[in-house]
Amino acid sequence: MELVFATNNAHKLEEVQAIVGNRFTIKSLADIGCSDDIPETGVTFEENAKQKTDYLFHKYGLDCFGDDSGLEIDALNGEPGVYSARYSGSRDMERNIDLVLSRLGDNPGRTACFRTVISLFLNKQQYFFEGVIEGHIIHERRGAGGFGYDPIFIPAGYDKTFAEMTPEEKNKISHRAIAVGKLAAFLKDNAD
Ligand code: ITT
C-alpha cells in the first residue's frame, strides 16, 4: 500500500522506507506534486507533526504521515528542540552544530535525547507515535555518516556517534526507528 510521507528530507525518507520495508511504498511530497511550504509553527513536535498531516489530508485526502523530530539537550533547557533544523537561524548544519557546542561550552552535563513524533492519517482517523533515544553530546564532531546533529550525539550504551554508525546500526536504535517501528506495527494490524 502507498503512504505519503510529509517531508522534504530525502535522508529521512530513505531511513523510513528501510524501516517499514517493501510492504509499503512511501511517497514523498515531490512524488505527489506538492511543493507547498507546509506550515510548521507549533511549539511541540506533536503540534508540528499534526500540522503537516492535517495540511496534506485536507488538501489531498490521502493516507499520509508526517513527523517532527529534533535534539533536546538538558543543559540547554531542551534546546534546540523544535528549532533543531534552524537553530542558528539557517539550515546550515555546520553553524547549527557550532552553536550547540558553543552554548554547551565545557559544561560537564551533556545529556540529551533525540525525539520523533509521528502523526498518521489512516482511513480519516489520526494517530500519534513517539520514539526517544537518550544519549549525550560530545565536544567535537566524529564521523561522516547520517545527517543533522549525528556527528555530536552518542547514544547511551554505545561509544560511537550516530555519524560513525552504518545506516543499519543507526536504523536499529534511532528515535525515528522506534517511532516508525510503532507506526509499522500499527499499519500491519490496521491497514489492508
Ligand atoms: P522535514 O521537516 O521536511 O521533514 P527536517 O530536516 O526539518 O525535514 P525534522 O523537522 O524532523 O526534519 O528535524 C529537524 C532537525 O532535527 C533536522 O533538520 C536535523 O537537524 C535534526 N534531526 C532530526 N532527526 C535527526 C537525526 O536522526 N539525526 C540527526 N539530526 C536529526
Side-chain angles (χ1 to χ4, degrees):
M1 87 171 265
E2 288 184 353
L3 274 175
V4 180
F5 185 10
T7 185
N8 292 307
N9 183 327
H11 293 281
K12 284 173 37 175
L13 197 108
E14 269 172 39
E15 285 189 2
V16 169
Q17 182 72 70
I19 295 164
V20 298
N22 298 336
R23 189 160 166 248
F24 300 96
T25 304
I26 310 294
K27 294 189 143 192
S28 67
L29 292 175
D31 290 335
I32 61 161
C34 176
S35 55
D36 302 357
D37 200 6
I38 301 177
E40 212 178 314
T41 55
V43 294
T44 63
F45 296 124
E46 192 172 40
E47 281 171 9
N48 282 336
K50 181 174 181 327
Q51 268 186 333
K52 294 180 193 181
T53 50
D54 283 359
Y55 184 93
L56 276 191
F57 181 74
H58 290 119
K59 182 156 179 185
Y60 298 96
L62 295 169
D63 289 335
C64 60
F65 66 98
D67 79 330
D68 195 31
S69 6
L71 178 65
E72 296 178 330
I73 301 173
D74 297 324
L76 303 181
N77 297 315
E79 287 185 8
V82 289
Y83 308 107
S84 292
R86 297 178 163 273
Y87 194 39
S88 65
S90 85
R91 278 195 166 264
D92 181 342
M93 281 316 297
E94 292 303 307
R95 290 174 54 187
N96 291 335
I97 288 179
D98 283 344
L99 184 57
V100 162
L101 293 179
S102 74
R103 291 215 165 142
L104 269 178
D106 288 332
N107 194 331
R110 306 183 78 86
T111 52
C113 70
F114 274 117
R115 186 183 305 276
T116 293
V117 176
I118 293 175
S119 159
L120 167 73
F121 258 108
L122 183 71
N123 301 327
K124 304 188 171 67
Q125 297 281 334
Q126 190 166 40
Y127 306 90
F128 290 95
F129 308 91
E130 186 178 60
V132 178
I133 179 148
E134 307 283 347
H136 70 275
I137 304 297
I138 56 175
H139 289 80
E140 298 171 341
R141 296 162 172 81
R142 275 175 26 197
F147 70 100
Y149 297 91
D150 283 346
I152 56 167
F153 180 83
I154 297 189
Y158 292 79
D159 55 11
K160 287 197 275 193
T161 66
F162 265 169
E164 291 175 306
M165 295 183 174
T166 62
E168 292 73 26
E169 281 176 297
K170 180 184 171 188
N171 281 343
K172 270 191 207 140
I173 61 170
S174 78
H175 50 308
R176 190 165 305 102
I178 295 166
V180 175
K182 291 178 186 174
L183 169 73
F186 178 86
L187 288 172
K188 196 163 167 262
D189 291 342
N190 294 279
D192 311 318

